[in-house]
Amino acid sequence: MFGGTVWLLQSCIEQNKTDMTTNGIKIMEGDFQTPLPSPPAFDLKNTTAFEAKQTQVAILKGKKTNVYGYYDGMLGKTFVLNKGDVINLKFTNSLQQATNIHWHGLIIPSEMDGFPAAVTEPGSSFEYRFTVNQRAGTYWYHPHPDGLTAEQVMQGLAGFFIVRDEEEAALKLPNDDSEIAFVIQDRRFKGNGDFDYNPTNEEVMTGFLGDYILVNGAFNPYKTVKAAWNRLRIINGSNARVYNLAFSNGQNFAVIGSDAGLLTSPETVNNILVSPGERIDMLVDFSDVANKDIFLQSESFDGGGVQGKDTFKIMKFAIGEKANEPFTLPTTLSAIEKIKPSSATKTRMFDISNASVHGGGMMNMKMDTEDTTRKTGSNMGENGMNKMKMDMHSINGVGYDAAVINETVTAGATEIWEFDNSKGSELHPMHFHGNHFQIIERTGGRGKLIATEKGWKDTVLLLPGEKVNVITTFSQFKGKYVLHCHNLEHEDSGMMLNFEIV
Ligand code: C2O
Ligand code: CU
Ligand code: CU
């Protein structure tokens, strides 16, 4: 154990000295010859059960990759529902390790939300039952077991949960072939074709970055689209990588929605940062680029540490003949009532700079090697370092403990939550469950809100030096939920806490 301690101290000291770019990795570029796959739609009318299981898929030429999926493929089937629809499904865990499902962005009872300690053991089942009663939006689902979320999402567990409503339908946005949903994820591969996920301590510090960019599970795919307006609904389902999305021809696009549905009006931009957990809903007009290839790419940005170093292509849009599909960008999209800061009854501060871990507070490391819950099935190495990796990140100087209620809030109360990364050197996408929020302001760093941040949100990116205030009115669903960083290595290494709605 002492060897471990010294080693870890050493690594923290080195961390402060070395340029974090040293583990930046070069991104591979594919041939953009694979058509963009789309997970099949979940047939809610005729399906009563689904499972998480191990399966094999072809991602790299001539190789098979062992993955996890919620069906016979990587990822999961796409749920498409209308507001008011009911979910009543028996979920079976056919994996070798405990798992559960978190419905990211849904406002549902605590028992259905995938609390980290509420897991379904291998071979067991759990009934997910809830009513979808919230605005249209691009939501998603993924596992959330304590300490195993990063690994299971990396292995392929994630899916779309798209909610439609009348307000959105009335806009007659591009649909059918012109509405394209995709999730962007980065991966590393072993020689045999399997995913390579065995983060070093340094990679747990920064978050794990892959060198292959997958879209809906395909490496650098292409999609044939009309030379007209298209709607792109994008999830950043990567463990840690932030993308600065832009088109290779530099063209504008209109952001029409974010995490929890439509903005009040379109925001026209030519690039946008999307961090892990966040969603973006955009309309892009390809009518001027008929018969051309346009790439969706990520451009370099100043993200501190290892992030944002490169510009790289993500996927190709093969634009067809000019289509006669007239569409005018609506000037207003949705009515969003602003929550007044004066209505907040409490402000809570969350220090996410992790100063206590990087600085003098090494005592926060719990040296408990007896912690079995988090080791179950983990392939992160059984060398007793697991628990220390767990507490390499913190919120308010405290690492995650499933048994502790860190904050208690009142159902229906309005509060301001302040995330403070002003002394931090890493970026953190902060997310909490079971409630949507509005962002009031960002100070430090970029010093302003960006286009996607003006509607309802459930995840917000803080670059180093930034402080963000969000406001929310807590739901009526009493029980335990979590607040965490959606950099999944950070989450699994302690950057999460529990709040209970009472
Ligand atoms: Cu998508 Cu608690 O996370
Ligand atoms: Cu969530
Ligand atoms: Cu983080």
Side-chain angles (χ1 to χ4, degrees), residues 316-384:
K316 182 173 90 178
F317 288 99
I319 322 285
E321 296 291 329
K322 194 162 173 81
N324 185 25
E325 287 194 0
F327 171 80
T328 315
L329 192 62
T331 51
T332 59
L333 298 164
S334 176
I336 295 180
E337 211 183 306
K338 279 220 161 130
I339 311 177
K340 286 201 199 70
S342 61
S343 66
T345 50
K346 191 166 178 123
T347 298
R348 295 180 205 247
M349 317 277 234
F350 297 98
D351 177 4
I352 58 164
S353 61
N354 281 286
S356 61
V357 177
H358 287 283
M362 298 303 285
M363 289 303 145
N364 277 330
M365 303 285 173
K366 296 189 206 110
M367 308 304 266
D368 178 10
T369 51
E370 303 307 314
D371 189 313
T372 48
T373 47
R374 295 181 192 194
K375 279 169 97 176
T376 313
S378 168
N379 66 12
M380 291 223 312
E382 309 297 342
N383 56 4

Side-chain angles (χ1 to χ4, degrees), residues 240-297:
R241 189 181 286 282
V242 175
Y243 302 91
N244 183 20
L245 298 181
F247 291 99
S248 51
N249 59 343
Q251 78 169 81
N252 285 340
F253 52 92
V255 177
I256 58 165
S258 62
D259 304 343
L262 296 170
L263 307 180
T264 53
S265 53
E267 299 268 345
T268 297
V269 297
N270 59 17
N271 68 319
I272 192 98
L273 285 182
V274 186
S275 67
E278 285 190 299
R279 285 85 73 205
I280 173 179
D281 195 344
M282 70 157 86
L283 295 178
V284 56
D285 182 6
F286 286 138
S287 58
D288 288 341
V289 281
N291 303 313
K292 289 207 167 70
D293 287 342
I294 303 293
F295 293 89
L296 177 69
Q297 58 190 37

